[in-house]
Coordinates of all heavy atoms in Angstrom, one line a residue:
M837 N 67.1 -62.3 -39.4 CA 67.8 -63.5 -39.0 C 66.9 -64.4 -38.1 O 66.2 -63.9 -37.3 CB 69.1 -63.2 -38.3 CG 70.1 -62.3 -39.0 SD 71.3 -63.3 -39.9 CE 72.5 -63.6 -38.5
S838 N 67.0 -65.7 -38.3 CA 66.3 -66.6 -37.5 C 67.2 -67.8 -37.1 O 68.1 -68.2 -37.8 CB 64.9 -67.1 -38.2 OG 65.3 -67.8 -39.4
R839 N 66.9 -68.3 -36.0 CA 67.6 -69.4 -35.5 C 67.1 -70.7 -35.9 O 65.9 -71.0 -35.7 CB 67.7 -69.4 -34.0 CG 68.8 -70.3 -33.3 CD 68.7 -70.1 -31.9 NE 67.6 -70.9 -31.3 CZ 67.6 -71.3 -30.0 NH1 68.7 -71.2 -29.2 NH2 66.5 -72.0 -29.6
V840 N 67.9 -71.6 -36.5 CA 67.4 -72.9 -37.2 C 68.3 -73.9 -36.7 O 69.5 -73.9 -36.6 CB 67.5 -72.8 -38.7 CG1 66.9 -74.1 -39.3 CG2 66.7 -71.6 -39.2
K841 N 67.7 -75.1 -36.3 CA 68.5 -76.2 -35.8 C 69.1 -77.0 -36.9 O 68.6 -77.1 -38.0 CB 67.5 -77.2 -35.1 CG 68.2 -78.5 -34.6 CD 67.3 -79.4 -33.9 CE 67.9 -80.8 -33.6 NZ 67.0 -81.7 -32.9
V842 N 70.4 -77.2 -36.7 CA 71.2 -78.0 -37.7 C 71.2 -79.6 -37.4 O 70.9 -80.4 -38.3 CB 72.6 -77.5 -37.8 CG1 73.5 -78.3 -38.8 CG2 72.7 -76.0 -38.1
C843 N 71.5 -79.9 -36.2 CA 71.6 -81.3 -35.8 C 71.8 -81.4 -34.3 O 71.8 -80.3 -33.6 CB 72.7 -82.0 -36.5 SG 74.4 -81.4 -36.0
E844 N 71.7 -82.6 -33.8 CA 72.1 -82.9 -32.4 C 73.6 -82.8 -32.3 O 74.3 -83.1 -33.3 CB 71.5 -84.1 -31.9 CG 69.9 -84.1 -31.9 CD 69.4 -85.4 -31.4 OE1 70.1 -86.4 -31.0 OE2 68.1 -85.5 -31.3
I845 N 74.1 -82.4 -31.2 CA 75.5 -82.4 -30.9 C 76.2 -83.7 -31.2 O 77.3 -83.8 -31.8 CB 75.9 -82.0 -29.4 CG1 75.5 -80.5 -29.3 CG2 77.3 -82.2 -29.2 CD1 75.6 -79.9 -27.9
G846 N 75.5 -84.9 -31.0 CA 76.1 -86.1 -31.2 C 76.3 -86.4 -32.8 O 77.0 -87.4 -33.1
D847 N 75.6 -85.7 -33.6 CA 75.7 -85.9 -35.0 C 76.7 -84.9 -35.7 O 76.9 -85.0 -36.9 CB 74.3 -85.7 -35.7 CG 73.3 -86.8 -35.4 OD1 73.8 -87.9 -35.2 OD2 72.1 -86.5 -35.3
A848 N 77.4 -84.1 -34.9 CA 78.3 -83.1 -35.4 C 79.6 -84.0 -36.0 O 79.8 -85.1 -35.6 CB 78.8 -82.2 -34.3
P849 N 80.3 -83.4 -37.0 CA 81.5 -84.1 -37.5 C 82.6 -84.2 -36.4 O 82.6 -83.4 -35.5 CB 81.9 -83.1 -38.7 CG 81.4 -81.8 -38.3 CD 80.1 -82.0 -37.6
A850 N 83.5 -85.2 -36.7 CA 84.6 -85.3 -35.8 C 85.6 -84.2 -36.0 O 85.5 -83.6 -37.1 CB 85.3 -86.7 -36.0
P851 N 86.5 -84.0 -35.1 CA 87.5 -83.0 -35.3 C 88.3 -83.2 -36.6 O 88.7 -84.3 -37.0 CB 88.4 -83.2 -34.1 CG 87.5 -83.8 -33.0 CD 86.6 -84.6 -33.8
G852 N 88.5 -82.1 -37.3 CA 89.2 -82.2 -38.6 C 88.3 -82.5 -39.7 O 88.8 -82.7 -40.9
E853 N 87.0 -82.7 -39.5 CA 86.1 -83.1 -40.6 C 85.0 -82.2 -40.8 O 84.7 -81.3 -39.9 CB 85.6 -84.6 -40.3 CG 86.7 -85.6 -40.3 CD 86.2 -87.0 -40.1 OE1 85.0 -87.2 -39.9 OE2 87.0 -87.9 -40.1
A854 N 84.3 -82.4 -41.9 CA 83.1 -81.6 -42.2 C 81.9 -82.5 -42.5 O 82.1 -83.7 -43.0 CB 83.4 -80.7 -43.4
K855 N 80.7 -82.0 -42.4 CA 79.5 -82.8 -42.6 C 78.4 -81.9 -43.1 O 78.2 -80.8 -42.6 CB 79.1 -83.5 -41.3 CG 78.2 -84.7 -41.4 CD 78.1 -85.3 -40.1 CE 77.1 -86.5 -40.0 NZ 77.1 -87.0 -38.6
R856 N 77.7 -82.3 -44.0 CA 76.6 -81.5 -44.7 C 75.3 -81.8 -44.2 O 74.9 -83.0 -44.0 CB 76.7 -81.9 -46.3 CG 75.8 -81.1 -47.1 CD 76.0 -81.3 -48.6 NE 75.7 -82.7 -49.0 CZ 76.5 -83.5 -49.6 NH1 77.8 -83.2 -49.8 NH2 76.2 -84.7 -50.0
F857 N 74.5 -80.7 -43.9 CA 73.1 -80.9 -43.4 C 72.3 -80.0 -44.3 O 72.6 -78.9 -44.6 CB 73.0 -80.4 -41.9 CG 73.9 -81.2 -41.0 CD1 75.2 -81.0 -40.8 CD2 73.3 -82.4 -40.4 CE1 75.9 -81.7 -40.0 CE2 74.0 -83.1 -39.5 CZ 75.4 -82.8 -39.3
P858 N 71.0 -80.5 -44.5 CA 70.0 -79.5 -45.1 C 69.4 -78.7 -44.0 O 69.0 -79.2 -42.9 CB 68.9 -80.6 -45.7 CG 69.1 -81.8 -44.9 CD 70.5 -81.8 -44.4
V859 N 69.5 -77.4 -44.2 CA 68.9 -76.5 -43.2 C 68.2 -75.4 -43.8 O 68.7 -74.6 -44.6 CB 70.2 -75.8 -42.4 CG1 69.6 -74.9 -41.3 CG2 71.0 -76.9 -41.8
D860 N 66.9 -75.3 -43.6 CA 66.1 -74.1 -44.0 C 66.2 -73.9 -45.5 O 66.4 -72.8 -45.9 CB 66.5 -72.9 -43.2 CG 65.5 -71.8 -43.3 OD1 64.3 -72.1 -43.3 OD2 65.9 -70.6 -43.4
G861 N 66.1 -75.0 -46.3 CA 66.2 -74.9 -47.7 C 67.5 -74.8 -48.4 O 67.6 -74.5 -49.6
R862 N 68.6 -74.9 -47.5 CA 70.0 -74.8 -48.2 C 70.7 -75.9 -47.6 O 70.4 -76.6 -46.6 CB 70.6 -73.4 -47.9 CG 70.8 -73.2 -46.4 CD 71.6 -71.9 -46.1 NE 70.7 -70.7 -46.2 CZ 71.1 -69.6 -46.5 NH1 72.4 -69.3 -46.8 NH2 70.2 -68.5 -46.6
L863 N 71.9 -76.1 -48.1 CA 72.9 -77.1 -47.6 C 73.9 -76.4 -46.9 O 74.7 -75.5 -47.4 CB 73.4 -78.0 -48.7 CG 72.4 -78.8 -49.4 CD1 73.0 -79.5 -50.7 CD2 71.9 -79.9 -48.4
V864 N 74.2 -76.8 -45.6 CA 75.2 -76.1 -44.7 C 76.2 -77.2 -44.3 O 75.8 -78.3 -44.0 CB 74.5 -75.5 -43.5 CG1 75.5 -75.1 -42.4 CG2 73.6 -74.4 -43.9
A865 N 77.4 -76.9 -44.4 CA 78.5 -77.7 -43.9 C 78.9 -77.3 -42.5 O 79.3 -76.1 -42.2 CB 79.7 -77.7 -44.8
L866 N 78.8 -78.2 -41.5 CA 79.4 -78.0 -40.2 C 80.8 -78.5 -40.3 O 81.1 -79.6 -40.8 CB 78.7 -78.8 -39.2 CG 77.4 -78.3 -38.4 CD1 77.1 -79.1 -37.3 CD2 77.6 -76.8 -38.0
V867 N 81.8 -77.7 -39.7 CA 83.2 -78.1 -39.7 C 83.7 -78.0 -38.3 O 83.5 -77.1 -37.7 CB 84.0 -77.1 -40.7 CG1 85.4 -77.6 -40.8 CG2 83.3 -77.0 -42.0
N868 N 84.4 -79.1 -37.9 CA 84.9 -79.2 -36.6 C 86.4 -78.9 -36.6 O 87.1 -79.6 -37.1 CB 84.7 -80.6 -36.1 CG 85.0 -80.7 -34.6 OD1 85.8 -80.0 -34.1 ND2 84.3 -81.8 -33.9
L869 N 86.7 -77.7 -36.0 CA 88.2 -77.3 -35.9 C 88.8 -77.8 -34.5 O 89.8 -77.1 -34.1 CB 88.3 -75.8 -36.0 CG 87.8 -75.3 -37.4 CD1 87.9 -73.8 -37.4 CD2 88.7 -75.9 -38.5
G870 N 88.3 -78.8 -33.9 CA 88.8 -79.3 -32.7 C 88.7 -78.2 -31.6 O 87.7 -77.8 -31.2
D871 N 89.9 -77.9 -31.0 CA 90.0 -77.0 -29.9 C 89.3 -75.6 -30.2 O 88.9 -74.8 -29.4 CB 91.3 -76.8 -29.4 CG 91.9 -78.0 -28.7 OD1 91.1 -78.9 -28.3 OD2 93.1 -78.1 -28.5
E872 N 89.3 -75.2 -31.5 CA 88.8 -74.0 -31.9 C 87.2 -74.0 -32.2 O 86.7 -73.0 -32.6 CB 89.5 -73.5 -33.2 CG 91.0 -73.3 -33.0 CD 91.2 -72.3 -31.9 OE1 90.6 -71.2 -31.9 OE2 92.2 -72.5 -31.2
G873 N 86.6 -75.2 -32.1 CA 85.2 -75.3 -32.1 C 84.6 -75.5 -33.6 O 85.4 -75.9 -34.4
L874 N 83.4 -75.4 -33.6 CA 82.6 -75.6 -34.9 C 82.5 -74.3 -35.7 O 82.5 -73.2 -35.2 CB 81.3 -76.2 -34.6 CG 81.1 -77.6 -34.0 CD1 79.7 -77.7 -33.5 CD2 81.6 -78.7 -34.9
R875 N 82.4 -74.5 -37.0 CA 82.1 -73.5 -38.0 C 81.0 -74.0 -38.9 O 80.8 -75.2 -39.1 CB 83.3 -73.1 -38.8 CG 84.5 -72.6 -38.1 CD 84.2 -71.2 -37.4 NE 85.5 -70.7 -36.8 CZ 86.0 -71.1 -35.6 NH1 85.3 -71.9 -34.8 NH2 87.1 -70.5 -35.2
A876 N 80.1 -73.0 -39.4 CA 79.1 -73.4 -40.3 C 79.3 -72.5 -41.5 O 79.4 -71.3 -41.5 CB 77.7 -73.1 -39.7
I877 N 79.3 -73.2 -42.7 CA 79.6 -72.5 -43.9 C 78.7 -73.1 -45.0 O 78.3 -74.4 -44.9 CB 81.0 -72.7 -44.4 CG1 81.5 -71.8 -45.5 CG2 81.4 -74.2 -44.5 CD1 83.0 -71.8 -45.7
D878 N 78.2 -72.4 -46.0 CA 77.5 -72.8 -47.1 C 78.2 -74.0 -47.7 O 79.4 -74.0 -48.0 CB 77.4 -71.8 -48.2 CG 76.3 -72.0 -49.2 OD1 76.1 -73.2 -49.5 OD2 75.7 -71.0 -49.8
A879 N 77.5 -75.1 -47.9 CA 78.1 -76.4 -48.3 C 78.4 -76.4 -49.8 O 79.1 -77.3 -50.3 CB 77.3 -77.6 -48.0
I880 N 78.0 -75.4 -50.5 CA 78.2 -75.4 -52.0 C 79.2 -74.3 -52.5 O 79.1 -73.2 -52.1 CB 76.8 -75.1 -52.7 CG1 75.7 -76.1 -52.2 CG2 77.0 -75.2 -54.2 CD1 76.0 -77.5 -52.5
C881 N 80.1 -74.8 -53.1 CA 81.2 -73.9 -53.5 C 80.7 -72.8 -54.5 O 79.8 -73.2 -55.3 CB 82.3 -74.7 -54.3 SG 83.6 -73.7 -54.8
S882 N 81.2 -71.6 -54.4 CA 80.7 -70.5 -55.2 C 81.2 -70.7 -56.6 O 80.8 -69.8 -57.5 CB 81.0 -69.2 -54.6 OG 82.5 -69.1 -54.5
H883 N 82.2 -71.4 -56.9 CA 82.8 -71.5 -58.3 C 82.0 -72.3 -59.1 O 81.5 -71.8 -60.2 CB 84.2 -72.0 -58.1 CG 84.9 -72.1 -59.5 ND1 85.4 -73.4 -59.9 CD2 85.1 -71.3 -60.4 CE1 85.9 -73.2 -61.2 NE2 85.8 -71.9 -61.4
A884 N 81.8 -73.6 -58.9 CA 81.1 -74.5 -59.8 C 80.2 -75.4 -59.1 O 79.9 -76.6 -59.5 CB 82.1 -75.2 -60.8
H885 N 79.7 -75.0 -57.9 CA 78.6 -75.7 -57.2 C 79.0 -77.1 -56.8 O 78.2 -78.0 -56.9 CB 77.3 -75.7 -58.0 CG 76.9 -74.3 -58.3 ND1 76.4 -73.3 -57.5 CD2 77.0 -73.5 -59.5 CE1 76.2 -72.1 -58.1 NE2 76.5 -72.3 -59.3
Y886 N 80.2 -77.2 -56.3 CA 80.6 -78.6 -55.8 C 80.4 -78.6 -54.3 O 80.3 -77.5 -53.6 CB 82.0 -78.9 -56.2 CG 82.3 -80.4 -56.3 CD1 81.9 -81.2 -57.3 CD2 83.0 -81.1 -55.2 CE1 82.0 -82.5 -57.3 CE2 83.2 -82.4 -55.2 CZ 82.7 -83.1 -56.3 OH 82.9 -84.5 -56.3
F887 N 80.5 -79.8 -53.6 CA 80.3 -79.9 -52.2 C 81.6 -79.6 -51.5 O 82.5 -80.4 -51.4 CB 79.8 -81.3 -51.8 CG 78.4 -81.6 -52.4 CD1 78.1 -82.7 -53.2 CD2 77.3 -80.8 -52.0 CE1 77.0 -83.1 -53.6 CE2 76.1 -81.1 -52.5 CZ 75.9 -82.2 -53.2
L888 N 81.6 -78.4 -50.7 CA 82.8 -78.1 -50.0 C 83.0 -79.1 -48.8 O 84.1 -79.3 -48.5 CB 82.6 -76.7 -49.4 CG 82.7 -75.5 -50.4 CD1 82.6 -74.1 -49.6 CD2 84.1 -75.5 -51.0
D889 N 82.0 -79.7 -48.3 CA 82.2 -80.5 -47.1 C 82.9 -81.8 -47.5 O 83.4 -82.5 -46.6 CB 80.8 -80.9 -46.5 CG 79.9 -81.5 -47.6 OD1 79.2 -80.7 -48.3 OD2 79.8 -82.7 -47.6
E890 N 83.1 -82.1 -48.7 CA 83.9 -83.2 -49.2 C 85.3 -82.9 -49.4 O 86.1 -83.7 -49.7 CB 83.3 -83.8 -50.5 CG 81.9 -84.3 -50.4 CD 81.3 -84.9 -51.6 OE1 82.0 -85.0 -52.6 OE2 80.1 -85.3 -51.6
G891 N 85.7 -81.6 -49.0 CA 87.1 -81.2 -49.2 C 87.8 -81.4 -47.9 O 87.3 -81.8 -46.8
D892 N 89.2 -81.1 -47.9 CA 90.0 -81.1 -46.8 C 89.9 -80.0 -45.8 O 89.9 -78.9 -46.3 CB 91.4 -81.4 -47.2 CG 91.7 -82.7 -47.8 OD1 91.0 -83.6 -47.5 OD2 92.6 -82.7 -48.7
V893 N 89.8 -80.2 -44.5 CA 89.7 -79.2 -43.5 C 91.1 -79.0 -43.0 O 91.9 -79.9 -42.7 CB 88.9 -79.6 -42.4 CG1 88.9 -78.6 -41.3 CG2 87.4 -79.8 -42.8
D894 N 91.6 -77.7 -43.0 CA 92.9 -77.3 -42.4 C 92.6 -76.6 -41.0 O 92.2 -75.4 -41.1 CB 93.7 -76.4 -43.3 CG 95.1 -76.2 -42.8 OD1 95.3 -76.0 -41.6 OD2 96.0 -76.2 -43.6
A895 N 92.6 -77.3 -40.0 CA 92.4 -76.7 -38.6 C 93.3 -75.6 -38.2 O 92.9 -74.6 -37.5 CB 92.3 -77.8 -37.6
D896 N 94.5 -75.6 -38.7 CA 95.4 -74.5 -38.4 C 95.1 -73.2 -39.0 O 95.2 -72.2 -38.4 CB 96.9 -74.9 -38.7 CG 97.4 -76.1 -37.9 OD1 97.0 -76.3 -36.7 OD2 98.2 -76.9 -38.3
F897 N 94.8 -73.3 -40.3 CA 94.5 -72.1 -41.0 C 92.9 -71.8 -41.0 O 92.5 -70.8 -41.6 CB 95.0 -72.3 -42.5 CG 96.5 -72.1 -42.6 CD1 97.3 -73.2 -42.7 CD2 97.2 -70.9 -42.6 CE1 98.7 -73.2 -42.8 CE2 98.5 -70.8 -42.6 CZ 99.3 -71.9 -42.7
E898 N 92.2 -72.7 -40.5 CA 90.7 -72.6 -40.4 C 90.2 -72.4 -41.8 O 89.4 -71.4 -42.1 CB 90.3 -71.5 -39.4 CG 90.9 -71.8 -38.1 CD 90.4 -70.9 -37.0 OE1 89.6 -70.0 -37.2 OE2 90.7 -71.1 -35.8
T899 N 90.5 -73.3 -42.7 CA 90.0 -73.3 -44.1 C 89.4 -74.6 -44.4 O 89.8 -75.7 -43.8 CB 91.1 -72.9 -45.1 OG1 92.2 -73.8 -44.9 CG2 91.6 -71.5 -44.8
I900 N 88.7 -74.7 -45.5 CA 88.3 -75.9 -46.2 C 88.5 -75.7 -47.7 O 88.4 -74.7 -48.2 CB 86.8 -76.2 -45.9 CG1 86.5 -77.7 -46.3 CG2 85.9 -75.2 -46.6 CD1 85.2 -78.2 -45.7
E901 N 89.1 -76.8 -48.3 CA 89.5 -76.8 -49.7 C 88.5 -77.5 -50.5 O 88.2 -78.7 -50.3 CB 90.9 -77.5 -49.8 CG 91.4 -77.4 -51.2 CD 92.8 -78.0 -51.3 OE1 93.7 -77.6 -50.6 OE2 92.9 -79.0 -52.2
C902 N 88.0 -76.8 -51.6 CA 87.0 -77.4 -52.5 C 87.8 -78.6 -53.2 O 88.7 -78.4 -53.8 CB 86.5 -76.4 -53.5 SG 85.4 -77.2 -54.6
P903 N 87.1 -79.8 -53.2 CA 87.8 -80.8 -53.8 C 87.8 -80.8 -55.3 O 88.5 -81.6 -55.9 CB 87.0 -82.1 -53.3 CG 85.7 -81.6 -52.9 CD 85.9 -80.2 -52.5
K904 N 86.9 -80.0 -55.8 CA 86.7 -80.0 -57.3 C 87.9 -79.3 -58.1 O 88.5 -79.8 -58.9 CB 85.4 -79.3 -57.7 CG 85.0 -79.3 -59.2 CD 84.6 -80.7 -59.6 CE 84.0 -80.6 -61.0 NZ 83.6 -81.9 -61.4
H905 N 88.2 -78.1 -57.7 CA 89.2 -77.3 -58.4 C 90.3 -76.6 -57.4 O 91.1 -75.9 -57.7 CB 88.6 -76.2 -59.2 CG 87.7 -76.6 -60.2 ND1 86.3 -76.2 -60.2 CD2 87.8 -77.4 -61.3 CE1 85.7 -76.8 -61.2 NE2 86.6 -77.5 -61.9
G906 N 90.0 -76.9 -56.1 CA 91.1 -76.6 -55.2 C 91.1 -75.3 -54.5 O 92.0 -74.8 -53.7
S907 N 90.0 -74.5 -54.7 CA 90.0 -73.1 -54.0 C 89.8 -73.5 -52.4 O 89.1 -74.3 -52.0 CB 88.7 -72.3 -54.4 OG 89.0 -71.7 -55.5
S908 N 90.6 -72.7 -51.7 CA 90.5 -72.8 -50.2 C 89.6 -71.6 -49.6 O 89.7 -70.5 -50.1 CB 91.9 -72.7 -49.7 OG 91.9 -72.7 -48.3
F909 N 88.7 -72.0 -48.8 CA 87.8 -70.9 -48.2 C 88.0 -70.8 -46.8 O 88.2 -71.8 -46.0 CB 86.3 -71.4 -48.4 CG 85.8 -71.3 -49.8 CD1 86.1 -72.4 -50.8 CD2 85.2 -70.2 -50.4 CE1 85.6 -72.3 -52.1 CE2 84.8 -70.0 -51.6 CZ 85.0 -71.1 -52.5
D910 N 88.0 -69.4 -46.4 CA 88.1 -69.2 -44.9 C 86.9 -69.5 -44.3 O 85.8 -69.0 -44.6 CB 88.5 -67.6 -44.9 CG 88.8 -67.2 -43.5 OD1 88.0 -67.5 -42.6 OD2 89.8 -66.5 -43.3
L911 N 87.0 -70.3 -43.2 CA 85.8 -70.8 -42.4 C 85.2 -69.7 -41.6 O 84.1 -69.9 -41.1 CB 86.1 -72.0 -41.6 CG 86.4 -73.2 -42.5 CD1 87.1 -74.3 -41.6 CD2 85.1 -73.7 -43.1
N912 N 85.9 -68.6 -41.3 CA 85.4 -67.6 -40.5 C 84.7 -66.3 -41.4 O 83.7 -65.8 -40.9 CB 86.4 -66.9 -39.7 CG 87.0 -68.0 -38.7 OD1 86.3 -68.5 -37.8 ND2 88.3 -68.3 -38.8
S913 N 85.2 -66.2 -42.6 CA 84.7 -65.1 -43.4 C 83.9 -65.6 -44.6 O 83.1 -64.9 -45.2 CB 85.8 -64.2 -43.9 OG 86.6 -64.9 -44.8
G914 N 84.2 -66.8 -45.0 CA 83.6 -67.4 -46.2 C 84.4 -67.0 -47.5 O 84.0 -67.4 -48.6
K915 N 85.4 -66.2 -47.4 CA 86.1 -65.6 -48.5 C 87.1 -66.7 -49.1 O 87.7 -67.4 -48.2 CB 86.9 -64.3 -48.1 CG 86.0 -63.1 -47.8 CD 86.9 -62.0 -47.5 CE 86.0 -60.8 -47.1 NZ 86.8 -59.7 -46.6
P916 N 87.1 -66.7 -50.4 CA 88.1 -67.7 -51.0 C 89.5 -67.1 -50.7 O 89.8 -65.9 -50.9 CB 87.8 -67.7 -52.5 CG 87.0 -66.5 -52.8 CD 86.4 -66.1 -51.4
R917 N 90.5 -68.0 -50.4 CA 91.8 -67.6 -50.2 C 92.8 -67.9 -51.4 O 93.9 -67.7 -51.5 CB 92.4 -68.2 -49.0 CG 92.0 -67.6 -47.7 CD 92.8 -68.2 -46.5 NE 92.3 -67.6 -45.3 CZ 92.8 -68.1 -44.1 NH1 93.7 -69.0 -44.1 NH2 92.4 -67.6 -43.0
S918 N 92.1 -68.7 -52.3 CA 92.9 -69.1 -53.5 C 92.0 -69.2 -54.7 O 90.8 -69.6 -54.5 CB 93.7 -70.4 -53.3 OG 92.8 -71.4 -52.9
L919 N 92.5 -69.1 -55.9 CA 91.6 -69.2 -57.1 C 91.4 -70.7 -57.3 O 92.1 -71.6 -56.8 CB 92.4 -68.6 -58.3 CG 92.6 -67.1 -58.2 CD1 93.6 -66.7 -59.3 CD2 91.3 -66.4 -58.3
P920 N 90.4 -71.0 -58.2 CA 89.7 -70.2 -59.1 C 88.5 -69.5 -58.5 O 87.9 -68.6 -59.1 CB 89.2 -71.1 -60.2 CG 89.0 -72.4 -59.5 CD 90.1 -72.5 -58.4
A921 N 88.0 -69.8 -57.3 CA 86.7 -69.2 -56.8 C 87.2 -67.8 -56.4 O 88.2 -67.5 -56.0 CB 86.3 -69.9 -55.6
T922 N 86.3 -66.8 -56.7 CA 86.5 -65.4 -56.4 C 85.3 -64.8 -55.6 O 85.5 -63.8 -54.9 CB 86.6 -64.5 -57.7 OG1 85.4 -64.8 -58.4 CG2 87.9 -65.0 -58.4
T923 N 84.3 -65.6 -55.4 CA 83.1 -65.0 -54.6 C 83.0 -65.8 -53.3 O 83.1 -67.0 -53.2 CB 81.8 -65.4 -55.5 OG1 82.0 -64.8 -56.8 CG2 80.6 -64.9 -54.8
P924 N 82.7 -65.1 -52.2 CA 82.7 -65.7 -51.0 C 81.5 -66.6 -50.8 O 80.4 -66.3 -51.6 CB 82.5 -64.5 -49.9 CG 83.0 -63.3 -50.8 CD 82.7 -63.6 -52.2
V925 N 81.5 -67.5 -49.9 CA 80.3 -68.3 -49.6 C 79.7 -67.7 -48.2 O 80.5 -67.1 -47.5 CB 80.6 -69.8 -49.5 CG1 80.9 -70.3 -50.9 CG2 81.6 -70.1 -48.5
D926 N 78.5 -68.1 -48.0 CA 77.9 -67.6 -46.7 C 78.6 -68.4 -45.5 O 78.8 -69.6 -45.6 CB 76.5 -67.9 -46.7 CG 75.7 -66.9 -47.5 OD1 76.2 -65.8 -47.9 OD2 74.6 -67.2 -48.0
V927 N 78.8 -67.7 -44.4 CA 79.1 -68.3 -43.1 C 78.0 -68.0 -42.1 O 77.4 -67.0 -42.3 CB 80.4 -67.9 -42.6 CG1 81.6 -68.5 -43.5 CG2 80.6 -66.5 -42.4
F928 N 77.8 -68.8 -41.0 CA 76.7 -68.6 -40.2 C 77.1 -68.7 -38.7 O 77.9 -69.6 -38.4 CB 75.6 -69.7 -40.5 CG 75.2 -69.8 -41.8 CD1 75.9 -70.8 -42.7 CD2 74.2 -69.1 -42.4 CE1 75.5 -70.9 -44.0 CE2 73.9 -69.2 -43.7 CZ 74.5 -70.1 -44.5
P929 N 76.6 -67.8 -37.9 CA 76.9 -67.9 -36.4 C 76.3 -69.2 -35.9 O 75.2 -69.6 -36.3 CB 76.2 -66.7 -35.9 CG 75.9 -65.8 -37.0 CD 75.8 -66.7 -38.2
I930 N 77.0 -69.9 -35.0 CA 76.6 -71.1 -34.4 C 76.3 -70.9 -33.0 O 77.0 -70.2 -32.2 CB 77.7 -72.2 -34.6 CG1 77.9 -72.4 -36.0 CG2 77.3 -73.5 -33.8 CD1 79.0 -73.6 -36.2
M931 N 75.4 -71.7 -32.4 CA 75.1 -71.7 -31.0 C 74.6 -73.1 -30.7 O 74.0 -73.8 -31.5 CB 74.1 -70.6 -30.5 CG 72.8 -70.7 -31.1 SD 72.1 -69.2 -31.8 CE 73.2 -68.8 -33.1
T932 N 74.8 -73.4 -29.4 CA 74.3 -74.7 -29.0 C 73.4 -74.5 -27.7 O 73.5 -73.6 -27.0 CB 75.4 -75.6 -28.5 OG1 76.2 -75.0 -27.5 CG2 76.4 -76.0 -29.7
E933 N 72.4 -75.3 -27.7 CA 71.4 -75.3 -26.6 C 71.0 -76.7 -26.2 O 70.6 -77.4 -27.2 CB 70.2 -74.4 -26.9 CG 69.3 -74.1 -25.8 CD 68.2 -73.2 -26.1 OE1 68.5 -72.1 -26.6 OE2 67.1 -73.7 -26.0
D934 N 71.2 -77.0 -25.0 CA 71.0 -78.5 -24.6 C 71.8 -79.4 -25.4 O 73.0 -79.1 -25.5 CB 69.4 -78.7 -24.7 CG 68.6 -77.8 -23.6 OD1 69.2 -77.5 -22.6 OD2 67.5 -77.5 -24.1
D935 N 71.1 -80.3 -26.2 CA 71.9 -81.2 -27.0 C 71.8 -80.9 -28.5 O 72.2 -81.7 -29.3 CB 71.4 -82.6 -26.8 CG 71.6 -83.2 -25.5 OD1 72.6 -82.7 -24.9 OD2 70.9 -84.0 -25.0
D936 N 71.4 -79.6 -28.8 CA 71.3 -79.3 -30.2 C 72.2 -78.1 -30.7 O 72.6 -77.3 -29.9 CB 69.8 -78.8 -30.4 CG 68.8 -79.9 -30.1 OD1 69.2 -81.1 -30.5 OD2 67.8 -79.7 -29.5
I937 N 72.5 -78.2 -32.0 CA 73.3 -77.1 -32.5 C 72.4 -76.3 -33.5 O 71.6 -76.8 -34.3 CB 74.5 -77.7 -33.4 CG1 75.4 -78.5 -32.5 CG2 75.2 -76.7 -34.2 CD1 76.4 -79.3 -33.3
Y938 N 72.5 -75.0 -33.4 CA 71.7 -74.1 -34.2 C 72.6 -73.1 -35.0 O 73.8 -72.8 -34.6 CB 70.8 -73.2 -33.4 CG 69.8 -74.0 -32.6 CD1 70.1 -74.6 -31.3 CD2 68.5 -74.1 -33.0 CE1 69.2 -75.3 -30.6 CE2 67.5 -74.9 -32.3 CZ 67.9 -75.4 -31.1 OH 66.9 -76.1 -30.4
I939 N 72.1 -72.6 -36.1 CA 72.7 -71.5 -36.8 C 71.7 -70.3 -37.0 O 70.6 -70.6 -37.0 CB 73.4 -71.9 -38.2 CG1 72.3 -72.4 -39.1 CG2 74.5 -72.9 -38.0 CD1 72.7 -72.6 -40.5
E940 N 72.3 -69.2 -37.2 CA 71.5 -68.0 -37.6 C 71.5 -67.9 -39.0 O 72.5 -67.8 -39.6 CB 72.1 -66.8 -37.0 CG 71.9 -66.6 -35.4 CD 70.5 -66.1 -35.0 OE1 69.8 -65.7 -35.9 OE2 70.3 -66.1 -33.8
V941 N 70.3 -67.8 -39.7 CA 70.3 -67.7 -41.1 C 69.4 -66.4 -41.5 O 68.7 -66.0 -40.7 CB 69.6 -69.0 -41.8 CG1 70.5 -70.2 -41.6 CG2 68.2 -69.2 -41.3
Ligands
FES2205 S1 83.9 -76.0 -57.8 FE1 85.0 -75.3 -56.1 S2 86.8 -74.5 -56.8 FE2 85.6 -75.1 -58.6

């Protein structure tokens, strides 16, 4: 595992939103759960490779819904909670240092 910078804190998504960043050769979605903090998840849906960060964030259930076919993914485990997706996506530990946000990949 190595620590890779995602963005500066000022570029993080607003509460209840997600934002996609290129990180270390992959696309990662940062998701802001408000009081529950940030999550980092693979930005590409495991079902048909659509952008998860363009889906709706549910801060209460800590999920994001793929806008293509509606699978909901757990932002803590990466596991799909609803069909049609059946394969988990990667999730990444997040840390901040000074004004920057990093993930472990
Ligand atoms: S592409 Fe995401 S559920 Fe089909």
Side-chain angles (χ1 to χ4, degrees):
M837 299 264 280
S838 61
R839 193 177 78 153
V840 184
K841 180 179 172 179
V842 179
C843 65
E844 295 182 359
I845 289 174
D847 290 330
E853 295 185 1
K855 200 169 175 182
R856 184 171 68 238
F857 296 91
V859 182
D860 197 36
R862 65 174 79 203
L863 293 172
V864 172
L866 273 191
V867 184
N868 189 334
L869 295 177
D871 291 343
E872 298 303 319
L874 294 169
R875 301 291 187 275
I877 189 169
D878 195 327
I880 306 299
C881 182
S882 61
H883 176 239
H885 306 285
Y886 205 76
F887 293 125
L888 286 179
D889 53 281
E890 294 181 5
D892 290 333
V893 174
D894 188 321
D896 292 332
F897 288 99
E898 301 191 357
T899 59
I900 192 164
E901 182 180 305
C902 178
K904 185 75 170 176
H905 303 115
S907 279
S908 178
F909 287 86
D910 188 307
L911 290 167
N912 297 299
S913 68
K915 293 180 181 173
R917 286 191 181 172
S918 59
L919 297 171
T922 56
T923 303
V925 294
D926 289 333
V927 293
F928 309 94
I930 295 182
M931 61 228 65
T932 58
E933 187 176 307
D934 299 326
D935 290 334
D936 297 321
I937 297 171
Y938 297 85
I939 59 171
E940 291 276 354
V941 296

